Amino acid sequence: MSKITIAYIGDKPFKKDTITGSLLIFPQNKPVDVEADVAYMLLQYPKVWVREEQVELIQSELKIEADDKEQQELERQAQFAAEVYANSMEVELTGQSIDLSKMTSAKLATLIEANDLDIEAKGSQESVDDFRLRVRNTIRG
């Protein structure tokens, strides 16, 4: 009988053929010669087995897909870090990391004076949270 070369393209390192009963073992992405009738039955599952000629194409598509997922994950992490930074009240001043969220308006005024910052004093109608934001934004530039 004639033979056809097919390859297993699934996620596992190898796959045992339990569909046709041949019990052949297919290493991942490695072509294996099988009888034509077995090959045709296995090729009915194109997400698991493909002809030898298609292996490189499938591998390149999977690599592109994995690279895209990795890029999306990196972008998501960068966006998350930017959001954390934007919502953080920590600033760097004179080589020290200072958390403005723990400071009262009096401590903020002292910080401004001690570091000779050009920031207007807290207005009587301004909330402490708004004052903190204004101080943070001015220090960050």
Side-chain angles (χ1 to χ4, degrees), residues 2-117:
S2 65
K3 297 216 177 216
I4 296 177
T5 305
I6 63 172
Y8 165 68
I9 57 166
D11 297 333
K12 301 175 191 173
F14 65 90
K15 176 77 172 161
K16 186 185 287 189
D17 169 26
T18 55
I19 294 172
T20 66
S22 70
L23 299 179
L24 290 170
I25 296 177
F26 293 85
Q28 186 180 30
N29 299 320
K30 303 284 187 229
V32 175
D33 287 335
V34 297
E35 296 295 328
D37 57 337
V38 172
Y40 290 126
M41 288 178 74
L42 295 176
L43 289 173
Q44 291 179 8
Y45 303 93
K47 292 184 178 181
V48 183
W49 281 282
V50 295
R51 289 184 175 267
E52 178 183 26
E53 306 84 44
Q54 296 173 306
V55 172
E56 287 184 30
L57 176 65
I58 299 281
Q59 284 179 327
S60 65
E61 287 174 0
L62 289 175
K63 178 160 177 32
I64 289 170
E65 191 175 304
D67 290 345
D68 287 347
K69 281 185 181 179
E70 183 179 345
Q71 182 64 31
Q72 288 174 352
E73 179 63 21
L74 289 173
E75 289 172 3
R76 190 191 63 75
Q77 288 176 357
Q79 182 179 6
F80 179 74
E83 287 176 14
V84 167
Y85 179 74
N87 294 328
S88 170
M89 292 302 285
E90 288 196 21
V91 294
E92 286 289 324
L93 193 62
T94 63
Q96 296 179 356
S97 181
I98 300 170
D99 189 0
L100 300 178
S101 65
K102 298 178 181 178
M103 297 184 141
T104 63
S105 60
K107 286 187 178 183
L108 287 168
T110 303
L111 178 75
I112 292 167
E113 189 65 33
N115 290 288
D116 197 29
L117 299 173

